[in-house]
Amino acid sequence: MGDILATEADLLGMIKEYLKFEEFEKTVQIFDKECKMKGKLVSKPRGSTLRDSKIHVIQNDLLSSFEDGDHKVFFEVWTENIPSEVKDTDAEAQSLEFYLHIHFTIYPLRRHPGRQDRAEFEERISFFKQYLETRGAALSQTTEFLPFYALPFVPNPTVHPSFKDLFQDSWIPQLKCKLEKFLSVTLKSSKTPRLLTLYVSFYLSCLTHKAMQQLQLQLAESERRITSYVRTFNKMQANYHNLIGITAELVDSLEAIVSGKMISPEYLQSVYVRLFSSQMRQSVVQSTDFTRPGTVSTTHTYTHNHLLPMLPSLDYEKLKEDLVEGSDRLKCLLLQALRWRLTRSLPGEQRDTVLQAYITNDLLDCYSTKQKTVLHLMRSTNEVVRQYMARLINAFASLAEGRAYLSQIPVLLKLLTEALRKEDKDSLTRENVLVALQKLSLRRSQQTAMITDDLIGWLVDELQDSDYLSDYTLEYSAALLMNLCLRTKGKRKCAENAKHVLKVLTDLLGHENHEIRPYVNGALYSILCVPSMRQEAKEMSVEEILRCYNKEENPDLNRQIEFIIKQLNSGEEEGPESDDEEEEDDNDEDLMEMDLDKEEVLQLQQRELSGETLLTTEYLGIMTNMPKVKRKSTPLSQPNVDEPLQRPVTPSSHRNMSSGYVQYTHTHTQCHKTLIQTGSNVLFMSVF
């Protein structure tokens, strides 16, 4: 009851403060009278006593320095306490400031009319000139002030007829009266009432929210365009590298023809096969008669739009040796070049061949028995080496075959979780490690290992301080936590510290980054199937918290919340053990992102090789590219708009599916659920 009365008194105090600010004097009197009649307490505005005393001190300082002719103190206090918008735009303030400068300039002449202190007067004249050339310059076109611009050049202003009014006894009292009136109005009105401040803050926050939504839409569109441009650029770059070698050979052949040498049709056919073999059937090549004019150009029309060159083979043994034994700079350049081969290759056959070559030649020393392997670069003392190793692992984890390869390395998770706990919060190394772990959590074997290593506890503690995390890190942390919570072992791990987990997840529901909502909802829905978690949630009034978010203008989100509340109030026992299932959840989807190559810290030095040039110049191999027909990826089911996530996902795959679902429902508004069979599993997805 006491809190309510205090709040009411504070609110009435804000109303009175606003009425006084707007000078509704009669209204204030009636307001005070009615409050007394009803026995209502009206609190005094916070800080008003302190503010009034401060204003009083400022006024006294200004008036006393005015009386003493101390222009330095006066204008120092004036500059600090008179608002800029008043000094720069208010005509009355500008006029008063001009006459104040005149007052302080002629002060020595008025104080000692008989014996004038010329040195002090000259100093003040110099100060007045400076004012006329700066702030006072704006008034030079005003008739009222124009005569005073001659004051610095008059030898004896006391006898000059243009300035005789300045030396009248009445001039200073009149100027002081104007100053007092100006100060009483300006200093008191400079404090904005709290009620007005609250309204302006709310209004601006609404405008900011709308602007943020618009910017987010523009950002999404820009990212889509950038992705398209990068894809086009990568394709052009790959074509360029392929054509350079063939062009050089053709130039040599042309020189040979000019010198009288013969070029065999078999040689031309071999060049042609290399140029178009990626998308052209062998039968088409064999049916081309290179001895007859016209047949090559005819077939070129068929293959022109299907050029897809394969990247040269590499010497992986030499590569791995230099990655382990080379200098830190060479390690960084090689790790970067190997990553670029994956991220900048064209999706499809070209990228599949690159990845298959890495796996076949065991680039990360998965099967090595040596003590020092490429993977142990994660423990390098050089921060850039660790970062670029983490980026390469993240690139592997972005591809389904890469995740399968990484899952066969027993020491990998230990190295990654070790780095996760040791690296600085805002480091790119830590970010790439976290994202790689999130992608690996699509596989059940990796989920089990992460849960055993208590990664859930670390994630919950990390998400507790979500304000210090970037949006990218926050999104992947929440998605990783959800994937682990979908497992029976993960749910039981959460139940060991139920109150803390529920507190963190419910707090995240109110986070300004709405991209994390699907993962927070999915985690809540999953862990609430455990009876002990439901009991703790009821004691914490989680249902009331959920219903607060159920009022938002988002029907999809509201249905999600209803499912979670229904789970919370269900009386079902915990479901069957899920950890004995042998199949992997990995949906075989490739999740390559542009962020893998962002913020490159390695700066190329003069005449230093990098990227594909470094690999093809120093590490060319023979027949190490072993093309493999990639198994068809199992498509994910379309998301169910009602239910929380119940299968492991990554943020990139969830965004792709969400955008696909939106397009689907645009033309099929009556369809609430689309299921696409994924082997023995069907993936239900949620869209927010």
Side-chain angles (χ1 to χ4, degrees), residues 492-511:
R492 291 174 180 170
K493 179 65 74 172
C494 290
E496 294 175 6
N497 197 0
K499 188 172 184 178
H500 182 46
V501 173
L502 288 169
K503 175 69 168 59
V504 171
L505 288 175
T506 51
D507 285 348
L508 287 174
L509 286 173
H511 198 279

Side-chain angles (χ1 to χ4, degrees), residues 56-116:
H56 184 67
V57 170
I58 295 169
Q59 287 177 328
N60 283 344
D61 288 345
L62 288 170
L63 292 174
S64 62
S65 56
F66 176 85
E67 294 282 0
D68 298 338
D70 192 343
H71 65 287
K72 293 181 180 178
V73 172
F74 182 90
F75 284 112
E76 183 179 345
V77 178
W78 174 275
T79 302
E80 289 179 358
N81 296 282
I82 304 302
S84 298
E85 60 269 20
V86 175
K87 290 185 294 186
D88 297 338
T89 60
D90 185 77
E92 182 183 352
Q94 292 175 335
S95 172
L96 177 61
E97 185 178 2
F98 191 92
Y99 283 118
L100 286 169
H101 273 279
I102 294 175
H103 162 69
F104 288 112
T105 303
I106 65 173
Y107 183 81
L109 304 180
R110 293 183 60 91
R111 184 176 57 176
H112 304 296
R115 52 179 187 83
Q116 298 175 0

Side-chain angles (χ1 to χ4, degrees), residues 323 327-340 344 382-389 391 428-429 596-606 608-612 614:
L323 280 170
S327 66
D328 285 343
R329 179 142 191 101
L330 178 59
K331 291 174 184 177
C332 291
L333 288 167
L334 290 176
L335 289 170
Q336 182 189 61
L338 291 166
R339 167 166 50 88
W340 282 355
R344 298 184 178 184
N382 186 294
E383 197 280 330
V384 182
V385 173
R386 296 197 307 274
Q387 181 194 135
Y388 276 49
M389 187 67 235
R391 285 177 183 253
L428 284 171
T429 306
L596 286 164
D597 293 332
K598 72 175 183 180
E599 300 179 34
E600 296 281 1
V601 297
L602 196 62
Q603 299 297 321
L604 201 61
Q605 298 175 359
Q606 192 173 10
E608 189 173 44
L609 301 178
S610 68
E612 194 63 26
L614 171 63

Side-chain angles (χ1 to χ4, degrees), residues 220-484:
E221 176 63 18
S222 299
E223 288 178 344
R224 185 190 64 78
R225 291 181 180 179
I226 289 173
T227 303
S228 175
Y229 295 152
V230 168
R231 191 181 300 116
T232 303
F233 169 76
N234 288 340
K235 184 174 181 179
M236 293 174 65
Q237 187 181 49
N239 291 346
Y240 167 77
H241 286 299
N242 185 61
L243 289 172
I244 278 191
I246 297 176
T247 302
E249 291 186 25
L250 291 176
V251 169
D252 292 341
S253 302
L254 185 60
E255 290 178 350
I257 292 173
V258 171
S259 62
K261 296 179 181 179
M262 291 294 295
I263 301 298
S264 67
E266 290 76 17
Y267 171 75
L268 288 177
Q269 185 171 4
S270 70
V271 172
Y272 189 67
V273 169
R274 286 164 55 201
L275 192 58
F276 302 111
S277 61
S278 59
Q279 293 294 324
M280 186 175 174
R281 294 181 183 177
Q282 189 64 30
S283 60
V284 176
V285 179
Q286 292 173 348
S287 66
T288 304
D289 186 353
F290 286 84
T291 63
R292 286 186 14 248
T295 55
V296 176
S297 61
T298 303
T299 313
H300 175 268
T301 304
Y302 170 77
T303 59
H304 177 264
N305 295 320
H306 303 280
L307 184 63
L308 188 63
M310 293 298 105
L311 297 175
S313 296
L314 301 177
D315 184 345
Y316 286 95
E317 291 305 317
K318 183 182 178 184
L319 266 171
K320 288 190 283 186
E321 181 181 346
D322 285 354
L323 280 170
V324 174
E325 303 294 342
S327 66
D328 285 343
R329 179 142 191 101
L330 178 59
K331 291 174 184 177
C332 291
L333 288 167
L334 290 176
L335 289 170
Q336 182 189 61
L338 291 166
R339 167 166 50 88
W340 282 355
R341 256 211 172 199
L342 272 180
T343 59
R344 298 184 178 184
S345 57
L346 301 179
E349 185 178 357
Q350 189 184 71
R351 181 174 290 166
D352 294 343
T353 303
V354 171
L355 179 61
Q356 195 56 44
Y358 287 180
I359 295 172
T360 304
N361 294 280
D362 194 17
L363 178 62
L364 300 183
D365 286 331
C366 171
Y367 307 107
S368 174
T369 57
K370 300 176 183 177
Q371 288 188 340
K372 291 179 66 176
T373 65
V374 174
L375 265 181
H376 282 82
L377 293 178
M378 283 302 304
R379 289 177 175 166
S380 170
T381 56
N382 186 294
E383 197 280 330
V384 182
V385 173
R386 296 197 307 274
Q387 181 194 135
Y388 276 49
M389 187 67 235
R391 285 177 183 253
L392 180 60
I393 293 172
N394 190 6
F396 266 92
S398 301
L399 304 171
E401 295 290 343
R403 291 192 291 276
Y405 172 63
L406 293 176
S407 298
Q408 300 173 42
I409 308 176
V411 75
L412 176 66
L413 277 183
K414 180 181 178 181
L415 291 171
L416 293 182
T417 54
E418 180 183 283
L420 199 61
R421 293 179 167 102
K422 286 184 178 180
E423 295 289 341
D424 293 337
K425 267 195 172 186
D426 57 349
S427 74
L428 284 171
T429 306
R430 187 173 185 262
E431 182 180 284
N432 277 274
V433 167
L434 176 66
V435 175
L437 284 169
Q438 203 286 323
K439 293 169 183 174
L440 286 170
S441 71
L442 293 175
R443 301 185 66 84
R444 297 181 65 83
S445 60
Q446 303 304 296
Q447 292 170 7
T448 302
M450 292 179 201
I451 295 168
T452 303
D453 198 29
D454 195 24
L455 196 56
I456 287 180
W458 183 89
L459 286 167
V460 172
D461 291 340
E462 189 76 2
L463 290 168
Q464 187 177 13
D465 297 325
S466 58
D467 291 339
Y468 299 99
L469 302 177
S470 67
D471 286 342
Y472 189 69
T473 301
L474 178 63
E475 195 173 347
Y476 273 90
S477 297
L480 175 55
L481 177 61
M482 186 207 74
N483 285 359
L484 300 183

